[in-house]
Structures are given as C-alpha cells and as structure tokens.
Amino acid sequence: QVQLVESGGGSVQAGGSLRLSCAASVDIDNTVSMGWFRQGPEKEREGVAAILTHGGLTVYADSVKGRFTISQDTTQNTLYLQMNGLKPEDTGMYFCAAGTIPTLDPALATARYGYWGQGSQVSVSS
C-alpha cells in the first residue's frame, strides 16, 4: 500500500517560511500527479498546489501564487511545498496526495487522488 508521510510543519510568525515534505513509500514516477491541500480552522478543504509527475507542470491557488512553490525529487520519492511570506490565513492542516489528473478542487480530488498523507500542522501567528 502506498504511504505518504508529511513533515516540516510547525509554528511561525507572519512573514516567515516553512518547507513541507511528503515522503512516498513507492516511486512517485508511478503516479500521474501529486498535490497539496489544506484545511484551516472552520474552513473548507482547499487545494493549494499540484504538479504533474512527468513534465513538471504546476498549478497554484490564487491565494498562494508568488509565495508557495511545489516541487518534487523523484530520486528521493519526495514532494515538497516551499512556503514563503506566510500569513495567518495560511494556518491549517496540510495534506499531500497522489493520484491521476491534477486538480485543486477538493470535490474532484476525492476521485482523482487515491492516496493521502496524515497531514502536517502549520500555524502562522500575527
């Protein structure tokens, strides 16, 4: 069974940076796409960023464009999310996922992403 394990979360003040990692138990080359989603306090789950395993095409939520960068290291079977200029509204549980067609729509992600990590907490204080 594919296992995805996130790490790198923590607490930081506004304007700070964090780098999330998602280690996969199998070669991520076997996936079509991977992505990051988050769930903030009293908020609906939202897509943050997604990347095609082959080709490297990426998509970002408008709220994080210019601040977050999604990347991958296929030799290490690891997905990353570099988060700069963090804001309090970025606070939430961040989940990585692997599946087929990339999407930032949580409703579509349920069907398209078959594997999910346990989540990593990110807390940004003002």
Side-chain angles (χ1 to χ4, degrees):
Q1 179 72 13
V2 174
Q3 298 289 328
L4 301 177
V5 181
E6 302 96 332
S7 63
S11 299
V12 65
Q13 290 191 312
S17 300
L18 286 173
R19 187 194 192 197
L20 299 181
S21 297
C22 174
S25 63
V26 299
D27 291 345
I28 60 176
D29 276 340
N30 293 327
T31 69
V32 176
S33 67
M34 297 188 75
W36 290 95
F37 293 78
R38 66 185 180 188
Q39 180 83 54
E42 300 182 354
K43 296 180 180 179
E44 297 295 323
R45 178 171 295 190
E46 63 176 331
V48 177
I51 185 171
L52 284 171
T53 302
H54 303 285
L57 293 177
T58 58
V59 292
Y60 296 91
D62 288 339
S63 61
V64 307
K65 286 182 179 178
R67 298 188 298 119
F68 291 10
T69 302
I70 186 172
S71 62
Q72 61 190 2
D73 184 342
T74 57
T75 65
Q76 297 294 321
N77 296 319
T78 304
L79 178 73
Y80 301 100
L81 184 67
Q82 179 65 49
M83 304 182 291
N84 299 323
L86 285 164
K87 305 175 180 179
E89 50 263 45
D90 292 320
T91 293
M93 284 291 292
Y94 284 68
F95 303 87
C96 68
T100 56
I101 303 174
T103 181
L104 297 184
D105 187 332
L108 296 178
T110 300
R112 297 183 179 183
Y113 291 92
Y115 306 97
W116 296 79
Q118 83 290 345
S120 184
Q121 179 67 37
V122 172
S123 298
V124 185
S125 60
S126 61

